[in-house]
Amino acid sequence: MRALQVAFVLASLAVCGCSGADPNTFPSGPKDAAPPPITNGDAGSFGTEAGSFGNPPPTTTECNPASVSGFTPKWTPPEPWKQKACSSQQISDFYAACLTPPISAQTCGTFIQANASCATCLQSQDTDATSAAIVWHEHDAYWTVNIAGCIAEAMGDPSANGCGAAYSAAIACRQQSCNACWAAQGTTATFQQFSTCEEQAGTSTCTSFANAVPAACGDIGTGPAGVCMPNSGATAQGAFMQVAPLFCGQ
């Protein structure tokens, strides 16, 4: 995985987010988006993806699912598990220093400088060749906990035909359908509108991708990938703390 520099981290501070819930109810259930801490200050509940510190919230009042005609999901295989880059304390401290609002750039920067290998292991960009425990999207507008990559590792199938890839495609479709929420300038839409848009996309523009998940995965919650699936009542921090140690822990 490409090394993430301190400057990137300071430019991209955010609250936590996750992708998906019980695969048998996917994509209904917990939503995919949470408000940026700079505007809302709370990570919200499980199932949320987060906006970044210093970036504006979605800025269009037209925040409805858009056509995904021609959309082809990109599967990015996950980093391996158990990289031994972080202790449990470091993972918890990273969340506290860099992902918990109100966010202090100085506090996060101090942590990153002292724990560079761990911080690098924990995050990646959606343009990277492999995906880390959390993945940044839309030029650092928000990030997701890498549930799909976790599933792929747990099931021993990181291929583009596996369950993890199908799960990723369903999430990516919802993002694609609603990314226009981030495009316009000067209006007053909120991150909640983006979150609601994604929820609606799951049962409209992205139905075919959602239906492919149980076909590819079966009942993930009761199989090996169950370790990757926070329950619907988990907090954002809880979801992060469930997945991040699998990628970067000892």
Side-chain angles (χ1 to χ4, degrees):
M1 180 179 68
R2 174 178 67 82
L4 301 178
Q5 301 300 318
V6 172
F8 163 70
V9 177
L10 296 182
S12 309
L13 301 175
V15 296
C16 172
C18 313
S19 299
D22 183 341
N24 294 320
T25 61
F26 185 92
S28 59
K31 290 176 277 189
D32 291 15
I38 196 169
T39 55
N40 295 280
D42 193 300
S45 62
F46 165 73
T48 63
E49 295 170 304
S52 63
F53 176 79
N55 284 353
T59 53
T60 174
T61 53
E62 296 297 327
C63 192
N64 300 310
S67 170
V68 291
S69 176
F71 167 67
T72 302
K74 172 191 173 185
W75 169 237
T76 303
E79 289 284 311
W81 276 4
K82 299 300 180 185
Q83 296 184 47
K84 299 183 178 181
C86 307
S87 67
S88 295
Q89 189 63 55
Q90 283 177 306
I91 293 172
S92 179
D93 288 349
F94 175 82
Y95 189 93
C98 296
L99 305 179
T100 303
I103 295 169
S104 163
Q106 180 176 359
T107 299
C108 182
T110 298
F111 176 86
I112 297 300
Q113 289 175 353
N115 303 273
S117 295
C118 175
T120 295
C121 178
L122 287 171
Q123 55 192 333
S124 62
Q125 288 274 14
D126 61 3
T127 53
D128 288 346
T130 54
S131 57
I134 59 174
V135 180
W136 291 92
H137 306 272
E138 285 298 293
H139 307 290
D140 310 331
Y142 64 93
W143 58 268
T144 59
V145 170
N146 192 7
I147 302 293
C150 183
I151 291 170
E153 282 290 314
M155 298 185 75
D157 186 1
S159 76
N161 298 314
C163 171
Y167 197 98
S168 173
I171 293 295
C173 179
R174 293 196 289 182
Q175 294 167 357
Q176 176 72 20
S177 188
C178 296
N179 274 342
C181 296
W182 301 97
Q185 296 294 323
T187 53
T188 58
T190 66
F191 204 101
Q192 183 58 47
Q193 287 175 284
F194 175 72
S195 173
T196 300
C197 175
E198 280 203 310
E199 187 175 18
Q200 294 169 345
T203 55
S204 58
T205 54
C206 296
T207 302
S208 62
F209 289 100
N211 290 341
V213 174
C217 301
D219 186 357
I220 339 179
T222 60
V227 68
C228 302
M229 310 300 292
N231 63 55
S232 61
T235 63
Q237 181 176 7
F240 171 81
M241 289 303 300
Q242 181 169 337
V243 171
L246 296 174
F247 278 89
C248 301
Q250 303 291 342

